[in-house]
Protein backbone atom coordinates (compact mmCIF):
# COMPACT_ATOMS: atom_id res chain seq x y z
CA UNK A 1 0.00 0.00 0.00
CA UNK A 2 1.54 3.33 -1.06
CA UNK A 3 1.77 6.30 1.31
CA UNK A 4 -0.69 8.24 -0.84
CA UNK A 5 -3.37 5.59 -0.24
CA UNK A 6 -3.14 5.73 3.55
CA UNK A 7 -6.11 7.23 5.40
CA UNK A 8 -6.01 10.47 7.39
CA UNK A 9 -5.59 8.78 10.76
CA UNK A 10 -2.85 6.47 9.49
CA UNK A 11 -0.93 9.43 8.06
CA UNK A 12 -1.27 11.29 11.36
CA UNK A 13 0.04 8.35 13.38
CA UNK A 14 2.58 6.68 11.09
CA UNK A 15 4.16 9.68 9.36
CA UNK A 16 7.16 10.13 11.64
CA UNK A 17 10.94 10.45 11.71
CA UNK A 18 13.15 7.52 10.88
CA UNK A 19 14.22 5.55 13.95
CA UNK A 20 17.67 6.09 15.39
CA UNK A 21 20.10 3.31 16.20
CA UNK A 22 18.17 2.78 19.45
CA UNK A 23 15.06 1.65 17.52
CA UNK A 24 12.66 3.69 19.64
CA UNK A 25 8.93 3.30 18.97
CA UNK A 26 8.01 6.86 19.96
CA UNK A 27 9.95 9.69 18.32
CA UNK A 28 12.55 11.20 20.68
CA UNK A 29 12.97 14.86 21.54
CA UNK A 30 15.81 16.66 19.77
CA UNK A 31 16.50 19.39 22.34
CA UNK A 32 19.50 20.99 20.68
CA UNK A 33 20.10 24.52 19.50
CA UNK A 34 22.50 23.46 16.74
CA UNK A 35 23.93 20.49 14.85
CA UNK A 36 27.55 19.43 14.17
CA UNK A 37 29.35 18.81 10.91
CA UNK A 38 31.74 16.09 9.82
CA UNK A 39 34.34 18.42 8.30
CA UNK A 40 34.83 21.82 6.64
CA UNK A 41 33.36 20.67 3.32
CA UNK A 42 30.26 19.27 4.99
CA UNK A 43 29.79 22.58 6.80
CA UNK A 44 30.32 24.65 3.64
CA UNK A 45 27.93 22.56 1.56
CA UNK A 46 25.29 22.65 4.30
CA UNK A 47 25.36 26.45 4.59
CA UNK A 48 25.32 26.74 0.80
CA UNK A 49 22.10 24.66 0.92
CA UNK A 50 23.66 22.02 -1.32
CA UNK A 51 22.64 19.53 1.36
CA UNK A 52 19.21 19.11 2.89
CA UNK A 53 20.13 18.82 6.56
CA UNK A 54 19.62 20.44 9.94
CA UNK A 55 22.02 23.27 10.79
CA UNK A 56 20.44 25.31 13.57
CA UNK A 57 17.07 24.90 15.28
CA UNK A 58 16.02 28.40 14.29
CA UNK A 59 16.11 27.08 10.71
CA UNK A 60 14.87 23.52 11.23
CA UNK A 61 14.90 20.67 13.71
CA UNK A 62 13.89 16.99 13.39
CA UNK A 63 10.88 17.51 15.65
CA UNK A 64 9.61 20.57 13.80
CA UNK A 65 10.26 18.80 10.49
CA UNK A 66 8.07 15.88 11.53
CA UNK A 67 5.26 18.18 12.65
CA UNK A 68 5.36 20.17 9.40
CA UNK A 69 5.48 17.00 7.29
CA UNK A 70 2.33 15.72 9.00
CA UNK A 71 0.42 18.96 8.42
CA UNK A 72 1.54 19.01 4.78
CA UNK A 73 0.27 15.46 4.27
CA UNK A 74 -3.05 16.32 5.93
CA UNK A 75 -3.57 19.54 3.96
CA UNK A 76 -2.23 18.29 0.64
CA UNK A 77 0.56 20.90 0.70
CA UNK A 78 3.98 20.87 -0.93
CA UNK A 79 5.94 22.40 1.96
CA UNK A 80 5.59 24.30 5.21
CA UNK A 81 7.22 26.08 8.13
CA UNK A 82 6.36 25.92 11.84
CA UNK A 83 6.17 28.94 14.14
CA UNK A 84 6.18 29.76 17.84
CA UNK A 85 2.49 30.76 17.74
CA UNK A 86 -0.42 31.18 15.38
CA UNK A 87 0.12 34.93 15.18
CA UNK A 88 3.81 34.40 14.41
CA UNK A 89 2.62 32.31 11.47
CA UNK A 90 0.17 34.99 10.31
CA UNK A 91 2.62 37.87 10.63
CA UNK A 92 5.60 36.06 9.08
CA UNK A 93 3.54 34.76 6.17
CA UNK A 94 2.32 38.23 5.23
CA UNK A 95 5.61 40.00 5.99
CA UNK A 96 7.59 37.57 3.85
CA UNK A 97 5.34 37.97 0.81
CA UNK A 98 4.47 41.68 0.89
CA UNK A 99 6.43 44.82 0.09
CA UNK A 100 5.72 48.51 0.51
CA UNK A 101 2.85 49.57 -1.73
CA UNK A 102 1.11 46.18 -1.76
CA UNK A 103 -2.57 45.71 -0.97
CA UNK A 104 -4.51 43.01 0.90
CA UNK A 105 -8.16 42.14 0.36
CA UNK A 106 -9.50 40.43 3.46
CA UNK A 107 -12.80 39.25 4.85
CA UNK A 108 -13.92 41.75 7.48
CA UNK A 109 -14.46 39.07 10.12
CA UNK A 110 -10.96 38.05 11.20
CA UNK A 111 -9.22 37.31 14.49
CA UNK A 112 -8.68 40.49 16.53
CA UNK A 113 -4.87 40.27 16.50
CA UNK A 114 -4.87 39.78 12.72
CA UNK A 115 -7.11 42.83 12.36
CA UNK A 116 -4.67 44.84 14.50
CA UNK A 117 -1.79 43.86 12.22
CA UNK A 118 -3.75 45.00 9.18
CA UNK A 119 -4.88 48.37 10.57
CA UNK A 120 -2.21 49.37 13.12
CA UNK A 121 1.09 47.97 11.85
CA UNK A 122 1.09 47.17 8.14
CA UNK A 123 0.20 50.79 7.24
CA UNK A 124 3.58 51.79 8.75
CA UNK A 125 5.15 49.99 5.80
CA UNK A 126 2.64 51.37 3.29
CA UNK A 127 0.69 48.11 3.09
CA UNK A 128 -3.04 48.72 2.82
CA UNK A 129 -5.95 46.40 3.62
CA UNK A 130 -9.51 46.53 2.27
CA UNK A 131 -12.26 44.55 3.99
CA UNK A 132 -15.17 42.85 2.26
CA UNK A 133 -18.39 41.67 3.89
CA UNK A 134 -18.33 37.89 3.64
CA UNK A 135 -22.13 37.85 3.56
CA UNK A 136 -21.82 39.75 0.27
CA UNK A 137 -19.30 37.67 -1.71
CA UNK A 138 -20.46 39.25 -4.95
CA UNK A 139 -18.65 42.45 -3.87
CA UNK A 140 -15.21 40.91 -3.41
CA UNK A 141 -13.85 41.70 -6.86
CA UNK A 142 -14.77 45.38 -6.47
CA UNK A 143 -12.10 45.68 -3.75
CA UNK A 144 -9.28 44.32 -5.94
CA UNK A 145 -6.76 46.92 -7.14
CA UNK A 146 -3.77 46.74 -9.50
CA UNK A 147 -1.48 46.48 -6.43
CA UNK A 148 -3.53 43.79 -4.66
CA UNK A 149 -1.23 40.88 -3.76
CA UNK A 150 -3.13 38.72 -1.25
CA UNK A 151 -6.71 37.55 -0.77
CA UNK A 152 -7.28 36.43 2.82
CA UNK A 153 -10.08 34.87 4.86
CA UNK A 154 -10.89 32.69 7.83
CA UNK A 155 -13.58 30.04 7.52
CA UNK A 156 -15.23 29.46 9.92
CA UNK A 157 -14.62 32.93 11.30
CA UNK A 158 -13.64 33.93 14.82
CA UNK A 159 -15.80 34.52 16.84
CA UNK A 160 -19.06 34.70 14.86
CA UNK A 161 -18.65 31.32 13.07
CA UNK A 162 -19.51 32.61 9.60
CA UNK A 163 -18.59 30.55 6.52
CA UNK A 164 -17.21 31.70 3.18
CA UNK A 165 -17.17 29.74 -0.06
CA UNK A 166 -13.55 28.66 -0.53
CA UNK A 167 -14.18 27.53 -4.09
CA UNK A 168 -15.38 31.04 -4.96
CA UNK A 169 -12.29 32.59 -3.37
CA UNK A 170 -10.09 30.16 -5.28
CA UNK A 171 -11.69 31.18 -8.56
CA UNK A 172 -11.30 34.91 -7.79
CA UNK A 173 -7.65 34.45 -6.79
CA UNK A 174 -6.92 32.55 -9.99
CA UNK A 175 -8.71 35.12 -12.18
CA UNK A 176 -6.78 38.05 -10.67
CA UNK A 177 -3.47 36.25 -10.05
CA UNK A 178 -3.65 36.72 -6.28
CA UNK A 179 -2.16 34.64 -3.47
CA UNK A 180 -5.08 33.08 -1.58
CA UNK A 181 -4.33 32.53 2.12
CA UNK A 182 -6.86 30.76 4.34
CA UNK A 183 -6.75 30.60 8.13
CA UNK A 184 -7.99 27.04 8.75
CA UNK A 185 -7.64 27.11 12.54
CA UNK A 186 -11.29 26.49 13.45
CA UNK A 187 -11.72 23.63 11.00
CA UNK A 188 -8.35 21.83 11.23
CA UNK A 189 -7.08 19.72 8.29
CA UNK A 190 -9.38 16.91 9.43
CA UNK A 191 -12.54 18.87 8.66
CA UNK A 192 -11.44 21.02 5.72
CA UNK A 193 -8.56 21.27 3.23
CA UNK A 194 -8.58 24.73 1.59
CA UNK A 195 -5.88 23.81 -0.94
CA UNK A 196 -8.42 21.53 -2.63
CA UNK A 197 -10.55 24.63 -3.28
CA UNK A 198 -7.75 26.80 -4.66
CA UNK A 199 -5.86 28.17 -1.65
CA UNK A 200 -2.13 28.67 -2.12
CA UNK A 201 -1.29 28.84 1.59
CA UNK A 202 -3.04 27.58 4.73
CA UNK A 203 -2.32 28.99 8.20
CA UNK A 204 -3.04 27.35 11.56
CA UNK A 205 -2.79 28.34 15.17
CA UNK A 206 -1.68 24.93 16.40
CA UNK A 207 -2.34 26.20 19.93
CA UNK A 208 -6.01 25.40 19.41
CA UNK A 209 -7.47 22.05 18.27
CA UNK A 210 -4.18 20.73 16.92
CA UNK A 211 -2.74 20.72 20.44
CA UNK A 212 -6.20 20.19 21.88
CA UNK A 213 -5.30 20.30 25.56
CA UNK A 214 -4.28 23.89 26.22
CA UNK A 215 -0.62 23.03 26.79
CA UNK A 216 1.61 24.73 24.23
CA UNK A 217 1.72 27.54 21.69
CA UNK A 218 2.43 26.86 18.03
CA UNK A 219 1.64 27.87 14.48
CA UNK A 220 2.23 26.55 10.99
CA UNK A 221 1.89 27.70 7.38
CA UNK A 222 1.78 25.16 4.56
CA UNK A 223 1.20 25.36 0.83
CA UNK A 224 2.98 26.04 -2.42
CA UNK A 225 6.71 25.36 -2.17
CA UNK A 226 7.93 28.58 -3.82
CA UNK A 227 5.86 30.70 -1.42
CA UNK A 228 6.99 28.64 1.56
CA UNK A 229 10.61 29.17 0.50
CA UNK A 230 10.12 32.95 0.78
CA UNK A 231 8.48 32.48 4.20
CA UNK A 232 11.31 30.18 5.32
CA UNK A 233 14.05 32.63 4.31
CA UNK A 234 12.28 35.48 6.11
CA UNK A 235 11.65 33.38 9.21
CA UNK A 236 15.16 31.97 9.58
CA UNK A 237 16.39 35.56 9.78
CA UNK A 238 13.67 36.95 12.06
CA UNK A 239 13.49 33.96 14.40
CA UNK A 240 9.81 33.09 15.02
CA UNK A 241 10.45 29.34 14.76
CA UNK A 242 8.65 26.70 16.82
CA UNK A 243 10.58 25.12 19.70
CA UNK A 244 11.49 21.42 19.33
CA UNK A 245 9.63 20.54 22.53
CA UNK A 246 6.40 22.19 21.41
CA UNK A 247 6.78 20.59 17.98
CA UNK A 248 7.10 17.17 19.62
CA UNK A 249 3.95 17.78 21.69
CA UNK A 250 2.00 18.99 18.65
CA UNK A 251 3.13 16.09 16.47
CA UNK A 252 1.97 13.62 19.13
CA UNK A 253 -1.31 15.55 19.38
CA UNK A 254 -1.94 15.05 15.68
CA UNK A 255 -2.10 11.30 16.29
CA UNK A 256 -5.41 11.80 18.12
CA UNK A 257 -6.74 14.78 16.14
CA UNK A 258 -9.36 12.86 14.18
CA UNK A 259 -10.88 11.01 17.13
CA UNK A 260 -10.85 14.17 19.27
CA UNK A 261 -12.43 16.36 16.61
CA UNK A 262 -15.12 13.76 15.93
CA UNK A 263 -16.23 13.98 19.58
CA UNK A 264 -15.83 17.77 19.71
CA UNK A 265 -18.17 18.10 16.73
CA UNK A 266 -20.67 15.59 18.09
CA UNK A 267 -20.84 17.50 21.37
CA UNK A 268 -20.96 20.91 19.67
CA UNK A 269 -23.94 19.97 17.52
CA UNK A 270 -25.87 18.84 20.61
CA UNK A 271 -24.98 22.09 22.41
CA UNK A 272 -26.07 24.12 19.36
CA UNK A 273 -29.39 22.27 19.15
CA UNK A 274 -30.00 22.88 22.87
CA UNK A 275 -29.23 26.59 22.59
CA UNK A 276 -31.40 26.97 19.50
CA UNK A 277 -34.43 25.87 21.49
CA UNK A 278 -33.72 27.99 24.58
CA UNK A 279 -36.12 30.90 25.20
CA UNK A 280 -33.34 33.26 26.40
CA UNK A 281 -31.32 32.85 23.20
CA UNK A 282 -32.04 35.06 20.20
CA UNK A 283 -30.03 33.12 17.64
CA UNK A 284 -27.39 30.39 17.26
CA UNK A 285 -24.64 29.96 14.67
CA UNK A 286 -23.15 26.55 14.09
CA UNK A 287 -22.10 25.48 10.57
CA UNK A 288 -24.03 22.20 10.58
CA UNK A 289 -27.29 23.67 11.88
CA UNK A 290 -29.72 24.07 8.98
CA UNK A 291 -30.50 27.55 10.30
CA UNK A 292 -26.93 28.72 9.63
CA UNK A 293 -27.04 31.21 6.73
CA UNK A 294 -24.15 29.45 4.95
CA UNK A 295 -25.24 25.90 5.82
CA UNK A 296 -25.07 24.61 2.23
CA UNK A 297 -21.56 26.01 1.75
CA UNK A 298 -20.45 24.46 5.04
CA UNK A 299 -21.80 21.06 3.99
CA UNK A 300 -19.95 21.37 0.66
CA UNK A 301 -16.49 22.14 2.01
CA UNK A 302 -16.48 20.81 5.58
CA UNK A 303 -16.58 17.20 6.80
CA UNK A 304 -18.07 18.23 10.17
CA UNK A 305 -19.24 21.45 11.80
CA UNK A 306 -16.32 22.09 14.16
CA UNK A 307 -16.37 22.68 17.89
CA UNK A 308 -17.27 26.39 18.04
CA UNK A 309 -20.84 27.54 18.70
CA UNK A 310 -21.78 31.23 18.74
CA UNK A 311 -25.07 32.38 20.19
CA UNK A 312 -26.72 35.68 21.04
CA UNK A 313 -28.12 35.87 24.53
CA UNK A 314 -31.13 38.12 25.13
CA UNK A 315 -30.33 41.18 27.20
CA UNK A 316 -27.16 42.37 25.48
CA UNK A 317 -23.92 43.33 27.19
CA UNK A 318 -25.01 42.97 30.81
CA UNK A 319 -26.75 39.66 30.13
CA UNK A 320 -23.54 38.36 28.56
CA UNK A 321 -21.48 39.36 31.60
CA UNK A 322 -24.05 37.89 33.97
CA UNK A 323 -23.99 34.63 32.01
CA UNK A 324 -20.22 34.32 32.48
CA UNK A 325 -20.54 34.99 36.21
CA UNK A 326 -23.00 32.10 36.58
CA UNK A 327 -20.84 29.53 34.76
CA UNK A 328 -19.66 26.75 37.10
CA UNK A 329 -18.27 23.83 35.07
CA UNK A 330 -17.04 25.46 31.88
CA UNK A 331 -13.89 27.60 31.80
CA UNK A 332 -13.66 31.35 31.24
CA UNK A 333 -10.62 31.70 29.01
CA UNK A 334 -9.52 33.39 25.75
CA UNK A 335 -8.35 30.04 24.37
CA UNK A 336 -10.37 27.53 22.33
CA UNK A 337 -10.04 24.01 20.98
CA UNK A 338 -9.33 22.56 24.43
CA UNK A 339 -10.57 19.29 25.93
CA UNK A 340 -12.37 21.57 28.40
CA UNK A 341 -15.37 23.61 27.28
CA UNK A 342 -14.59 27.35 27.25
CA UNK A 343 -17.02 30.27 27.08
CA UNK A 344 -16.18 33.88 26.21
CA UNK A 345 -18.18 37.07 25.76
CA UNK A 346 -16.32 39.01 23.03
CA UNK A 347 -18.09 42.36 23.47
CA UNK A 348 -16.89 42.73 27.07
CA UNK A 349 -13.49 41.03 26.67
CA UNK A 350 -11.57 40.27 23.47
CA UNK A 351 -13.35 42.88 21.32
CA UNK A 352 -14.24 45.41 24.02
CA UNK A 353 -11.90 48.06 22.56
CA UNK A 354 -13.87 48.17 19.30
CA UNK A 355 -16.79 50.55 18.90
CA UNK A 356 -20.30 49.10 18.72
CA UNK A 357 -20.32 49.86 14.99
CA UNK A 358 -16.99 48.09 14.45
CA UNK A 359 -18.21 45.03 16.36
CA UNK A 360 -21.49 44.86 14.46
CA UNK A 361 -19.58 45.07 11.17
CA UNK A 362 -18.01 41.68 12.01
CA UNK A 363 -21.21 40.14 13.45
CA UNK A 364 -20.28 40.67 17.12
CA UNK A 365 -23.42 41.81 18.93
CA UNK A 366 -23.46 42.89 22.57
CA UNK A 367 -25.01 39.57 23.55
CA UNK A 368 -22.77 37.29 21.47
CA UNK A 369 -21.25 34.38 23.39
CA UNK A 370 -18.67 31.99 21.91
CA UNK A 371 -18.56 28.45 23.19
CA UNK A 372 -15.59 26.21 22.43
CA UNK A 373 -17.20 22.86 23.14
CA UNK A 374 -14.89 20.36 24.80
CA UNK A 375 -14.81 16.63 25.41
CA UNK A 376 -16.68 16.44 28.70
CA UNK A 377 -19.91 14.46 28.99
CA UNK A 378 -22.06 16.72 26.84
CA UNK A 379 -25.06 16.52 29.17
CA UNK A 380 -22.89 18.11 31.88
CA UNK A 381 -21.89 20.96 29.57
CA UNK A 382 -25.53 21.55 28.58
CA UNK A 383 -26.60 21.51 32.25
CA UNK A 384 -24.02 24.20 33.05
CA UNK A 385 -25.17 26.38 30.16
CA UNK A 386 -28.77 25.79 31.19
CA UNK A 387 -28.26 26.95 34.79
CA UNK A 388 -26.19 29.95 33.65
CA UNK A 389 -28.97 31.05 31.30
CA UNK A 390 -31.71 30.61 33.92
Amino acid sequence: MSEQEFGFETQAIRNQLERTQFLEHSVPLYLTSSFVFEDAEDMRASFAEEKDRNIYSRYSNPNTNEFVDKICAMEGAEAGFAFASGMAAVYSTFAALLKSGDHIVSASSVFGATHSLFVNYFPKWNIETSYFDLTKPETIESFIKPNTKILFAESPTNPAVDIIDLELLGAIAKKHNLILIIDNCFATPYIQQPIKWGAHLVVHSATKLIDGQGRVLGGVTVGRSDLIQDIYLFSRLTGPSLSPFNAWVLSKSLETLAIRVDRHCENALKVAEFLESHPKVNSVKYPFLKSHPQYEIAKKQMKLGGNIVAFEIKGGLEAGRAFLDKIKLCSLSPNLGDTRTIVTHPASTTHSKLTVEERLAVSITDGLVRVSVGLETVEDVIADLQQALS
Side-chain angles (χ1 to χ4, degrees), residues 189-217:
Y190 180 61
I191 291 178
Q192 175 176 272
Q193 298 87 38
I195 291 171
K196 291 181 179 178
W197 303 103
H200 303 105
L201 293 171
V202 177
V203 181
H204 287 278
S205 171
T207 311
K208 311 303 190 296
L209 282 163
I210 286 176
D211 172 32
Q213 295 176 64
R215 299 168 297 186
V216 299
L217 299 179

Side-chain angles (χ1 to χ4, degrees), residues 207-215 253 256 259-261 263-264 267 307 329-331 335-342 372-378 381:
T207 311
K208 311 303 190 296
L209 282 163
I210 286 176
D211 172 32
Q213 295 176 64
R215 299 168 297 186
S253 296
T256 61
I259 194 168
R260 287 188 288 106
V261 171
R263 178 56 65 87
H264 276 296
N267 284 358
N307 82 309
L329 174 70
C330 302
S331 303
N335 197 26
L336 59 93
D338 201 307
T339 52
R340 293 152 289 199
T341 298
I342 295 169
S372 171
V373 182
L375 301 180
E376 304 97 336
T377 304
V378 71
V381 174

Side-chain angles (χ1 to χ4, degrees), residues 102-297:
D102 283 343
H103 176 242
I104 303 164
V105 173
S106 170
S108 57
S109 184
V110 295
F111 180 50
T114 304
H115 171 70
S116 293
L117 277 182
F118 289 169
V119 300
N120 296 328
Y121 292 95
F122 285 178
K124 292 182 179 182
W125 302 299
N126 193 29
I127 296 170
E128 179 191 7
T129 301
S130 296
Y131 285 122
F132 66 87
D133 184 341
L134 58 75
T135 67
K136 299 176 182 177
E138 69 279 2
T139 67
I140 296 174
E141 290 186 88
S142 68
F143 292 93
I144 297 173
K145 304 176 180 182
N147 61 330
T148 303
K149 182 79 173 287
I150 288 173
L151 179 59
F152 175 74
E154 302 172 5
S155 188
T157 64
N158 184 6
V161 201
D162 287 312
I163 303 293
I164 191 161
D165 190 335
L166 299 180
E167 186 176 23
L168 172 66
L169 292 185
I172 292 172
K174 184 176 181 180
K175 177 181 176 181
H176 295 276
N177 194 31
L178 305 177
I179 300 170
L180 176 58
I181 303 175
I182 298 297
D183 185 325
N184 201 30
C185 173
F186 272 25
T188 80
Y190 180 61
I191 291 178
Q192 175 176 272
Q193 298 87 38
I195 291 171
K196 291 181 179 178
W197 303 103
H200 303 105
L201 293 171
V202 177
V203 181
H204 287 278
S205 171
T207 311
K208 311 303 190 296
L209 282 163
I210 286 176
D211 172 32
Q213 295 176 64
R215 299 168 297 186
V216 299
L217 299 179
V220 63
T221 300
V222 299
R224 214 172 71 191
S225 58
D226 60 324
L227 299 175
I228 293 296
Q229 178 66 10
D230 289 339
I231 295 166
Y232 162 72
L233 292 174
F234 176 85
S235 300
R236 65 181 277 176
L237 290 174
T238 54
S241 54
L242 182 63
S243 75
F245 177 78
N246 286 10
W248 180 84
V249 171
L250 293 169
S251 187
K252 298 300 290 183
S253 296
L254 287 173
E255 296 182 11
T256 61
L257 179 67
I259 194 168
R260 287 188 288 106
V261 171
D262 276 338
R263 178 56 65 87
H264 276 296
C265 296
E266 179 185 331
N267 284 358
L269 181 57
K270 290 177 180 177
V271 167
E273 290 169 343
F274 156 74
L275 290 168
E276 197 170 40
S277 64
H278 199 282
K280 291 192 177 179
V281 173
N282 277 329
S283 61
V284 180
K285 272 189 180 176
Y286 181 70
F288 272 31
L289 280 182
K290 290 186 178 179
S291 58
H292 193 289
Q294 295 100 30
Y295 170 76
E296 294 299 333
I297 297 173

